[in-house]
Amino acid sequence: MSEKSKGLSKVEEICSQRSGRAKELKDEGKKIMGYFCIYPPLEMLSALDLLPYRILGDMREPITKADACLPTVVCPFDRSALDLGLKGKYDFLDGVVWAHVCEVGEKTAHVWRTYLNPAYFHFIDIPHTIHKPAQNQFVQQLKDFQKTLMSFTGKKLTSEMLAEAINAHNEQRSLVRKLYDLRKPDPPLISGSEVIKTLKAIMSLPVKEGSELLREVISEVGERKDGVPFRPVRLLIWGSIIDDTPLIEMMEELGANVVMDDTCVGSRAFFPDVKLTPDPLEGLAYRYLVDLKCPRTFKESTYGETKKDYLTDLRSRFSYISDYAKEWKVSGVVLQSVRYCDIHGYEVPGLGDYLDSVGLPHTYIEHTYDERSLAPLRTRIQAFLEIIRS
Amino acid sequence: MSYFMGIDVGSRTTKGVIAYGSRAKTFHTIFSSNNYREAAEKIREGLLSRARLQAADIAYTAVTGQQLDNLSFPFHKASDTRCCARGVNSLFPEARTVIDVQGQSTQIIRVDEKGKVVNFVVSERCAAGSGRFLEIIANVLRINLEDIGPLSLKSQNPVAFTTSCAVFGESEAISRVAEGTPKEDILAGVHRALAQKISTLIDRVGFEARCAISGGGGLDMGLIKAIEQELGLELLIPQKPELVSALGAAIVAQESKP
């Protein structure tokens, strides 16, 4: 990485060769720990001086190897990530951490372990409900994770080390929230594509380096004069992973600024902080199980009651989205999902009903996590923007 | 100078309309032949010569269907959802739901009394829900596209199709042919399968009476009957359903003239 580049140009540089910094650090003796999805607690890795490196797919690279080990009718993002692994693109990882996010994710984890056989592999069996017994079970899971990490690194992981790492990650989260504040003006000061690239970049850096990069981007974007043009529609994009820019760029071309997201290379991964608790694992368990807002976790408005009111339930699950819409002055919501993503697919009808109840226009699109397959979505986005504008 | 032109560049055919107000003055259809830009230019020339008009007589043009750039004339790019809604509204102001069966996909559009799109849903990238499925089956049965409808209407005993995939549907049709099933029963089965798929799409956006059909699918009486049976209603059928989006584009051209 060149010494000179800063802020957004540094983000571009990192995104063009995302593993560059990790490989440099590996040469200096640091261990690189790949993680899948946003559920493995990164604080536990950072505390032991391991570099958490987000495993992503590549929607520009055809899937050619993964179909020999995974069915073709499952999440194309998981297939793409595994495909990259099988092609050796993740060979620099010293270990891999997975969490039970969804069924396909779980099976892909085992396939990854079998075919790629990393030196360290840990699978966290995270519960799917949020009540107290589930939280307790998750704390136990984190204790097991802690044991395997200590055995792999030969280091003790103390509460003090964890608290320090929690503070460092919380600091990064507050910087990401500041970055998102820059999307509130009209036009926004930073574009949707620039935000994705920035977050993708910091998901490949040590936490403090990532925070430094965020500071540079925030200061650059706050000062620049030739930022994002005005576009008549302000969109929030919800759904399964978006780790590249073509979909957002298409919306921008058609006359919308994407000003907010509820996706996992986005606000979902960064917005909630971890509270420091006497046993830090409890704070971590609460944040990752209760506060993270991914539909992989089943959340009920009332636990243990036998009768359910539909609208109350919808409000308790989705009101944060209308809060986002108000704060970021959103005029429409695009619900998007990769094909075969059941956790997001199940959420769509209910979320649609909720958005109707608060008067937010919405549309649903499905894609195959393949840059070339996005063209047919263009007329749908176009028609949706026409509805909002009329 | 109050003529407006609408061009609908479809995957199979390109349609054009010159409208005066919301009434079609001239219309024209050609095959798209894999060169969509050329098709748009050609249909414009064809329309002008049929209408005995000059380019300068056309106040503005809107183009829908395939996404095109850099045409030789100024134009507005509009989605086929909006154009179809406007076109149907100009013909049937009472229509609130539109079933638009195109070559590559089918869309259901909910429209208000002014022809504005309230909501819409498009069939996923799959030939089973589109006119293409009918083309495939016509090919298997070695019959012309325009004969599909009349033949299907003769069926007394429609075949049940177990698949909603066009590729498997084709092999299923071949198996039925091999078993000696009459062509009309196979066609009626295909129409029923399409109608069921359309009904599912309608469930996703909700239904409001009355309901119109548009697109090339609206030329197929077999499909229309199957949809009417499936939904238990009578459809509003334009005289030239395949031209509805082009007519709507001409109306959109009036709305969006700079």
Side-chain angles (χ1 to χ4, degrees):
Chain A
M1 195 180 304
S2 75
E3 291 293 315
K4 284 180 198 159
S5 58
K6 283 187 87 174
L8 286 172
S9 55
K10 191 161 162 186
V11 164
E12 286 289 345
E13 205 177 310
I14 293 172
C15 286
S16 68
Q17 177 54 307
R18 205 170 68 93
S19 56
R21 180 62 182 146
K23 285 174 180 166
E24 265 177 26
L25 290 166
K26 187 179 168 81
D27 288 344
E28 291 166 18
K30 198 172 175 94
K31 293 245 186 300
I32 318 298
M33 194 65 81
Y35 67 97
F36 198 84
C37 185
I38 55 171
Y39 276 79
L42 308 185
E43 294 81 351
M44 297 173 72
L45 304 174
S46 296
L48 284 163
D49 200 30
L50 298 161
L51 165 57
Y53 185 92
R54 176 97 184 250
I55 295 175
L56 296 171
D58 184 353
M59 65 191 306
R60 298 167 203 253
E61 162 103 22
I63 297 171
T64 53
K65 298 279 180 198
D67 290 352
C69 347
L70 269 184
T72 52
V73 288
V74 298
C75 172
F77 167 75
D78 281 23
R79 286 169 55 224
S80 171
L82 177 68
D83 192 67
L84 297 182
L86 293 167
K87 287 171 179 163
K89 304 253 169 91
Y90 285 116
D91 282 356
F92 62 95
L93 299 177
D94 294 285
V96 176
V97 186
W98 288 68
H100 193 294
V101 282
C102 58
E103 294 308 308
V104 178
E106 186 218 328
K107 300 297 182 281
T108 309
H110 300 312
V111 172
W112 189 292
R113 177 163 51 182
T114 307
Y115 284 83
L116 296 167
N117 196 24
Y120 170 90
F121 183 92
H122 189 89
F123 181 79
I124 311 171
D125 186 13
I126 304 185
H128 286 264
T129 50
I130 58 171
H131 47 89
K132 194 67 188 161
Q135 292 172 36
N136 294 341
Q137 186 198 340
F138 189 21
V139 172
Q140 289 306 314
Q141 289 279 333
L142 292 184
K143 283 184 180 158
D144 291 344
F145 181 36
Q146 183 177 13
K147 269 186 215 155
T148 65
L149 282 175
M150 291 197 296
S151 143
F152 176 65
T153 56
K155 291 183 198 164
K156 198 167 162 38
L157 176 54
T158 65
S159 293
E160 291 72 34
M161 290 157 79
L162 253 183
E164 197 184 318
I166 287 171
N167 285 332
H169 279 273
N170 279 347
E171 187 191 14
Q172 182 170 89
R173 289 170 186 133
S174 80
L175 288 164
V176 171
R177 291 193 296 267
K178 276 189 190 149
L179 185 77
Y180 272 63
D181 284 342
L182 302 174
R183 307 176 84 174
K184 288 178 181 170
D186 195 20
L189 303 182
I190 184 165
S191 74
S193 334
E194 287 169 333
V195 169
I196 287 189
K197 286 184 199 162
T198 305
L199 298 185
K200 200 168 156 178
I202 64 172
M203 286 173 163
S204 63
L205 300 176
V207 58
K208 288 190 176 163
E209 280 184 33
S211 297
E212 192 45 45
L213 179 60
L214 279 167
R215 280 191 198 92
E216 289 171 14
V217 171
I218 290 167
S219 117
E220 177 187 341
V221 167
E223 284 167 17
R224 70 177 170 180
K225 298 276 175 272
D226 54 346
V228 184
F230 170 79
R231 296 187 176 99
V233 177
R234 293 170 63 88
L235 290 177
L236 182 153
I237 187 157
W238 170 93
S240 62
I241 188 162
I242 302 179
D243 60 1
D244 206 344
T245 53
L247 194 57
I248 309 287
E249 282 162 1
M250 182 198 287
M251 294 174 190
E252 289 169 350
E253 272 170 39
L254 291 169
N257 276 317
V258 177
V259 296
M260 188 47 186
D261 64 67
D262 180 24
T263 58
C264 68
V265 180
S267 68
R268 245 184 228 175
F270 292 96
F271 270 29
D273 277 340
V274 175
K275 286 188 188 68
L276 272 176
T277 44
D279 176 358
L281 293 185
E282 284 181 12
L284 284 173
Y286 193 87
R287 189 260 180 186
Y288 282 88
L289 189 62
V290 182
D291 286 341
L292 280 194
K293 292 182 173 68
C294 173
R296 59 79 58 198
T297 306
F298 180 70
K299 292 182 180 174
E300 278 189 298
S301 54
T302 46
Y303 176 62
E305 287 184 16
T306 51
K307 229 179 158 185
K308 190 189 272 185
D309 175 60
Y310 185 51
L311 253 184
T312 310
D313 183 54
L314 292 181
R315 265 184 226 123
S316 82
R317 282 157 61 197
F318 302 125
S319 62
Y320 71 96
I321 294 177
S322 66
D323 294 343
Y324 287 166
K326 273 178 214 140
E327 257 190 85
W328 276 267
K329 298 181 208 74
V330 164
S331 40
V333 181
V334 175
L335 312 177
Q336 65 79 38
S337 174
V338 291
R339 185 163 290 178
Y340 309 119
C341 177
D342 50 359
I343 57 168
H344 283 91
Y346 285 132
E347 207 82 335
V348 167
L351 179 50
D353 286 348
Y354 175 74
L355 294 173
D356 284 341
S357 79
V358 293
L360 268 172
H362 56 92
T363 193
Y364 173 57
I365 53 174
E366 208 178 79
H367 58 93
T368 52
Y369 190 73
D370 176 345
E371 190 189 20
R372 294 151 303 176
S373 73
L374 298 178
L377 300 178
R378 183 173 276 272
T379 52
R380 295 189 211 181
I381 302 288
Q382 191 184 22
F384 179 56
L385 299 183
E386 285 166 357
I387 292 179
I388 296 173
R389 271 186 296 216
S390 66
Chain B
M1 211 176 60
S2 49
Y3 292 110
F4 290 86
M5 188 182 284
I7 297 176
D8 175 16
V9 186
S11 56
R12 182 180 153 85
T13 55
T14 293
K15 286 77 64 178
V17 166
I18 292 178
Y20 182 81
S22 63
R23 295 182 68 93
K25 170 183 161 58
T26 309
F27 55 86
H28 187 34
T29 303
I30 57 173
F31 282 104
S32 301
S33 314
N34 295 331
N35 189 338
Y36 299 127
R37 190 169 297 134
E38 200 178 285
E41 299 285 355
K42 264 191 185 164
I43 198 100
R44 183 174 167 89
E45 285 166 27
L47 277 170
L48 287 173
S49 85
R50 279 164 179 252
R52 298 176 196 281
L53 291 173
Q54 304 296 315
D57 298 324
I58 304 298
Y60 199 42
T61 301
V63 179
T64 187
Q66 304 292 332
Q67 298 278 323
L68 297 178
D69 290 303
N70 304 324
L71 295 173
S72 68
F73 49 91
F75 70 101
H76 176 80
K77 248 196 267 190
S79 73
D80 52 2
T81 309
R82 179 183 175 194
C83 293
C84 181
R86 296 290 197 284
V88 167
N89 179 259
S90 76
L91 300 170
F92 304 115
E94 69 274 36
R96 293 291 172 275
T97 308
V98 184
I99 301 169
D100 184 34
V101 184
Q102 310 173 353
Q104 297 293 314
S105 59
T106 292
Q107 57 178 338
I108 310 297
I109 312 169
R110 295 281 306 279
V111 291
D112 68 10
E113 69 285 356
K114 289 179 183 150
K116 283 190 176 167
V117 178
V118 179
N119 201 353
F120 71 101
V121 61
V122 187
S123 60
E124 292 308 329
R125 224 165 44 124
C126 167
S130 70
R132 178 78 189 121
F133 190 25
L134 292 169
E135 276 181 43
I136 292 170
I137 298 299
N139 194 32
V140 169
L141 300 179
R142 297 178 195 283
I143 55 174
N144 293 324
L145 262 183
E146 49 277 18
D147 296 333
I148 288 182
L151 205 51
S152 166
L153 291 175
K154 288 186 189 156
S155 168
Q156 297 296 319
N157 190 18
V159 165
F161 266 77
T162 53
T163 176
S164 57
C165 165
V167 176
F168 292 127
E170 181 180 10
S171 53
E172 222 173 303
I174 292 169
S175 305
R176 297 293 89 80
V177 170
E179 288 165 6
T181 308
K183 286 179 182 181
E184 56 266 33
D185 291 345
I186 297 175
L187 286 171
V190 168
H191 281 138
R192 189 186 277 181
L194 273 173
Q196 284 162 347
K197 195 137 185 141
I198 286 166
S199 164
T200 310
L201 282 174
I202 289 178
D203 285 345
R204 279 172 55 188
V205 279
F207 175 82
E208 194 183 335
R210 290 190 71 191
C211 181
I213 187 164
S214 66
L219 293 165
D220 181 345
M221 283 314 292
L223 179 62
I224 288 170
K225 187 186 158 205
I227 295 171
E228 289 183 335
Q229 277 178 350
E230 181 69 29
L231 301 177
L233 51 76
E234 198 179 324
L235 289 172
L236 299 166
I237 308 162
Q239 269 182 354
K240 297 213 166 279
E242 74 282 15
L243 291 174
V244 167
S245 289
L247 171 64
I251 297 167
V252 168
Q254 297 178 42
E255 293 169 3
S256 45
K257 184 178 180 308

